[in-house]
């Protein structure tokens, strides 16, 4: 799974989440995850924040993995 995610090069994207500035090292990667529908942010339904310093729970990781691997159609 990780190899699949890492093999796709993220394209530069515009500002996506309020708490991930364009100057962030991981901005383009996080923007790519959002554009692909893998992440939806941490504050639904607004989805304006990514919360990069929060701990990822098992439930959140499971949801990310399902979306990343397209396990649900």
């Amino acid at each position: 799974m990780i190899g699949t995610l890492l093999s796709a090069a993220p394209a530069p994207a515009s500002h996506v989440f309020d708490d991930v500035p364009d100057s962030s090292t991981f901005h383009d990667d996080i923007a790519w995850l959002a554009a692909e529908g893998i992440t939806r942010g941490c504050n639904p339904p607004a989805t304006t924040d990514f919360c990069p310093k929060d701990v990822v729970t098992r439930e959140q990781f499971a949801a990310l993995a399902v979306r990343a691997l397209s396990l649900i159609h």
Side-chain angles (χ1 to χ4, degrees), residues 4-47:
T4 302
L5 289 175
L6 296 178
S7 66
S14 61
H15 190 75
V16 178
F17 296 109
D18 292 343
D19 58 352
V20 181
D22 294 343
S23 61
S24 169
T25 302
F26 302 105
H27 175 272
D28 291 347
D29 299 304
I30 294 168
W32 179 82
L33 289 170
E36 293 294 315
I38 296 169
T39 187
R40 298 178 182 155
C42 65
N43 64 334
T47 64

Side-chain angles (χ1 to χ4, degrees), residues 32-70:
W32 179 82
L33 289 170
E36 293 294 315
I38 296 169
T39 187
R40 298 178 182 155
C42 65
N43 64 334
T47 64
T48 56
D49 291 329
F50 182 71
C51 302
K53 295 183 181 191
D54 284 4
V55 173
V56 177
T57 67
R58 290 180 196 162
E59 293 86 352
Q60 290 167 329
F61 182 80
L64 290 169
V66 165
R67 290 192 295 259
L69 298 172
S70 301

